[in-house]
Every structure is written in C-alpha cells, then in structure tokens.
Amino acid sequence: MSRLTSLGEGPNQLGSLAQSARMKHMNQAKWTLIIIGVLTALLNGFMLAQSQKEVDDLIRAGQLGAADAGTVLGLVRVIYGGALALGVVFIILGALVNRFPVPTTIAGLVLYLASTALFMLLDPSSIAKGIVIKVIIIYGLVRAVNAAIAYKKESSLRTGFKPPSPGLGADL
Amino acid sequence: MSEGIDDEGIHFEDDHETSNSADDMLIIDEHVEVAPCWRCGKAFDTAILICPYCRASRVIRYKEPYRKSATNAETGSISLLMWLYAGMLASLIFIGAIVRLDPNKNPVADEAIAIVVAIAIVEIFDAILVVIGCVKARPTLNPWWKGYRRAALAWLGGAVMLAAMLAINIWYHDFLKIQLKLPEDGSGLKSLKDFPFLVIVLLCLQPAVFEELFFRYLALGHFRSVMGVHGAVWISSLMFGLAHLGAPLSMPILILLGVFLGYARVSGGTLLLPMVMHFFHNYTVFRLEGVL
C-alpha cells in the first residue's frame, strides 16, 4: 500500500483544500512584503538623494548650526540608507516566501514590527499616521506566519518520513 | 451463532461470530500488521505513517507531551511570542516618547533619576512579559544537550568568542563616533555612574536573565520546532537586535551578538552559557564607557 494512496482519500481531500487556503494567505503575504519593500525603497531612496538639500534648508532656516551639519547629515543618511536597505530586504523576503515560507514570513513580521516601532520612536507624531493600514498589514503577516507553519507541517507529513525501524510497532 | 429462515424458506445456521474484543480486532487481515498509535493508542496498519485518528506521525522526533493538535499549539505559541515581542517594543516607544535624552545637556541628578526610573519601568514590564511567555508558551523540549564534553568545549570557545565580540563591538562604535562625529556620551548613560548597583541590576543582570529567557529559550525553542537550527538562531537574533530600539545605530552589532549567543546556547546545550556571556558583555561595555 503506497503512502500517497493512504493519504489521498477521504478526509485528506479536505487537507488539500486547507493547503490551498494556506497558499493563498502566503501569496497575500508575499505581495504585501514586495509592495511594502518597493514603496519603502523608493521613498527612502528619494529622501536619501535629497538629504543634503534637507540639511541645507535647516541651516538656512536657522534651525541647525553649521558646526552640527556634518553629524546631522551623517545621521540622516544612515537613517534613510538603513530604511532603503530594509525595503530591499522586504522585497527579497517576499520573493522567497514560496521557497522558505516559515522563516521569511516570521522575519518579515519581525522586521515590520521593529521598523514601525523604530520610526514611531524617532517621530512620535507618526504613531497615529496610517495606524489602520499598519494594523491590517500586521494582521495579514501574522495570518501568513500561521498559514506557513501549518502548510509546512502538512507538507512534511504528506511527503512522509523514513520508514520506521523494525520493531517500532512491536515496542509500542 | 445465529439461525433463521431465508427468503426461500430454507432454515440456515450461521456460526460466524462477531467479536468486539480488542485482541480480535488487532488482526483485521492476516497479511496486514497493525500497531497502536503512540499518542491515541488506536491500532492501525504499520504501512501507514500517519495515524488516521489523531494525525500523529509514526516516527517520534521528540518526546512531546500529548497535544490536541501539534500544529495549533505551535502556531498559538508563536503568535503569543509575537504579541509579547510587540508589547516589548510598545513599552520602549511609550517610555521613549516620555523621556527625551539630550546629550548636549550636562547630566544633572534629577535627569539621572528620570533615566533610572524609565529603564526600571521598561525592565519590569519586559520581565512580566517574559514570565507570561514562560508560563503560557513553554517550547517543546529540544535536544540541545549533547554531553559534558561538548558543553565544556562550548564554554571555552564561548570565552574566546566573547572577547572577539567585545573587540568588534568597541571597534564598531568607535568607527561610528569618528565617521558620524557623534558626541562622547550620546546615550546619556554616564549620568548613571552614581548608581552602580542599579546599573548592574538593570542593565547587566536583568537583560542577561530575561532577554536570554525570551530570545534564547522561548523564541529559539519555538522557532526550532518549525524551521532549521540556523534559521531559528538568525531570526531570534534579528528579534534580539531589533528590540534595542533605544540604540538604533547599535542594532547591526547587537544582531551579531545575538547570533553568537544563539549558537552558544545550541552548542553548550544550556541557557546558563549565553546568560553568563551576556552579563559579562554588558558589564565590560559599561565599564569601558565609564558608566561603572
């Protein structure tokens, strides 16, 4: 009796439907991560290119001394550069969701939570901005993590393990 | 034995006996071997690797306690872990929004007290979250322990690696200070040098215990049950590094430190090793910065 035959009847058809639903959640997470990554990379890439102009505007407005301009410019470039790199990481994670569902979805969720928290800390006025969208994204990523774990478990069960050693059944 | 008259009026006797005894039910077909499932106890064909009653696998990887559904338990635990992590981040945002450190101001006593109180609130809140995690979502026991010889090598190697990590840490921060022209005490922690006992408890001991419990026990343990050891180490280290929102420029080196502590936990087989190394790392860093 083949393993696949024994697993492909009756209640296991429901398992296939569940796997399809999980794939759908993971695909949603994949495109969510890619879109977040593209938007983050584009926006922060633009801001990085404009950072020198931004610092010059602050000096002209008298809000920044010339002596501190170097430090502020360096920090601004680090922040925007870091955010740009984060956007690229999101795109890579989204592209790899189908290949490594569990690590990529968990890493995507962790990075999104932490980056959102960091930008809220740097600019407390941004806490309320886009809060609904942030909550929706986090909810979608959490659902994707659960779906990825269940999908991986189900897949590993379906592909089977090594045959049990002789006497395993007798010992039990 | 049963008897009766069939449709053609012929008397029949049927000596086929049905039996409900467990012993008889074990032998369904003399060519098929059955064995009971290790989890639910019901017998099924040994050629089938998944129990049709409770979905347990024939191959036992770990000695895990009985669960209604292993997948549901794992996803529930990881969801709780993420909630706790989000709680830690939220506490940092809350305190950060209240306390603003201005490195250009000369540290004064009341500002130092404000910093101590803020740190204490965050640490106590994080400790509560970690305790909740340890009570509600203990990971499945993983076979980290690989013997005393391996543990001894891990302790020796860990001491050497700790020295290397400290050197990298110091070099990295000096590099940042030079390149970005940062002030000497950008974090404002030097104002705490009048409170050495509190610094040791809040910034050395508490992180060594509770952060290790969360990232190297809870996170690493749960992730290990759903992915490989390297993925679990790197993702738990990512969480560890990114949780230090108060020092965003230090995040890359803290992620690296998390990787080192994660592999120390895996190699040494004990949580004590990363705890001790975390304590000595923080103590040395604060001593070199002049806070202790």
Side-chain angles (χ1 to χ4, degrees), chain A residues 1 3 6-7 12 70-71 74-75 78 102-103 106-107 109-111 113-114 117-118 120-124 127 142 145-146 149-150 152-154 157 160-164 168-170 172, chain B residues 35-36 38 45-50 55 57-61 71 74-75 78-79 82 85-86 89 92-93 96-97 100 180-182 223 225-227 235 238-239 242 245-246 248-249 251:
Chain A
M1 182 187 295
R3 275 178 253 133
S6 66
L7 292 172
N12 293 301
T71 302
L75 283 172
V78 165
V102 178
I106 294 177
L109 175 61
V110 167
L111 278 171
L113 279 173
L118 181 61
M120 283 180 179
L121 188 65
L122 291 174
D123 181 15
I127 289 174
V142 169
V145 168
N146 292 338
I149 292 169
K152 185 171 182 287
K153 282 284 173 187
E154 191 71 28
L157 289 175
F161 297 105
K162 279 171 60 177
L168 179 65
L172 291 172
Chain B
W38 63 269
D45 187 358
T46 54
I48 300 172
L49 294 180
I50 309 299
R55 309 293 297 166
S57 167
R58 275 282 192 205
V59 178
I60 303 171
R61 284 193 183 177
T71 305
E74 280 155 4
T75 53
I78 291 178
S79 295
M82 290 299 160
Y85 186 65
L89 298 177
L92 287 168
I93 296 169
R100 286 286 183 208
L180 300 178
K181 301 183 188 62
L182 295 173
F223 291 156
S225 65
V226 296
M227 64 179 83
I235 292 183
L238 187 69
M239 291 174 72
L242 295 175
L245 293 180
L249 294 176
M251 281 180 181

Side-chain angles (χ1 to χ4, degrees), chain B residues 65-183:
Chain B
Y66 173 75
R67 289 184 184 142
K68 199 172 179 181
S69 164
T71 305
N72 285 344
E74 280 155 4
T75 53
S77 297
I78 291 178
S79 295
L80 177 62
L81 199 73
M82 290 299 160
W83 275 110
L84 296 174
Y85 186 65
M88 287 183 181
L89 298 177
S91 69
L92 287 168
I93 296 169
F94 179 69
I95 292 297
I98 294 173
V99 177
R100 286 286 183 208
L101 301 173
D102 186 349
N104 292 323
K105 270 164 107 177
N106 290 324
V108 294
D110 55 356
E111 186 168 323
I113 290 172
I115 294 171
V116 167
V117 169
I119 292 173
I121 290 172
V122 170
E123 304 280 14
I124 290 169
F125 183 73
D126 288 351
I128 292 170
L129 292 179
V130 171
V131 168
I132 291 172
C134 289
V135 169
K136 288 282 189 185
R138 279 187 304 169
T140 306
L141 289 175
N142 282 310
W144 298 121
W145 181 253
K146 295 179 180 67
Y148 288 102
R149 185 165 173 268
R150 182 79 176 259
L153 286 171
W155 279 87
L156 282 171
V160 172
M161 289 301 296
L162 178 63
M165 276 304 308
L166 280 166
I168 294 170
N169 194 344
I170 292 162
W171 170 83
Y172 173 79
H173 285 94
D174 285 344
F175 176 79
L176 279 183
K177 279 178 189 163
I178 293 167
Q179 291 297 318
L180 300 178
K181 301 183 188 62
L182 295 173

Side-chain angles (χ1 to χ4, degrees), chain B residues 187-266:
Chain B
S187 60
L189 291 176
K190 270 196 182 151
S191 57
L192 301 180
K193 54 184 180 182
D194 293 331
F195 309 94
F197 176 72
L198 285 174
V199 170
I200 288 176
V201 170
L202 292 177
L203 296 178
C204 298
L205 191 61
Q206 195 274 0
V209 173
F210 289 97
E211 284 183 10
E212 293 307 314
L213 274 173
F214 186 81
F215 294 106
R216 253 63 68 180
Y217 173 61
L218 291 175
L220 187 58
H222 282 300
F223 291 156
R224 182 63 185 93
S225 65
V226 296
M227 64 179 83
V229 64
H230 301 296
V233 167
W234 279 90
I235 292 183
S236 60
S237 307
L238 187 69
M239 291 174 72
F240 171 76
L242 295 175
H244 291 78
L245 293 180
L249 294 176
S250 304
M251 281 180 181
I253 206 69
L254 288 169
I255 291 172
L256 202 61
L257 177 67
V259 171
F260 160 65
L261 294 172
Y263 280 116
R265 157 77 164 138
V266 171

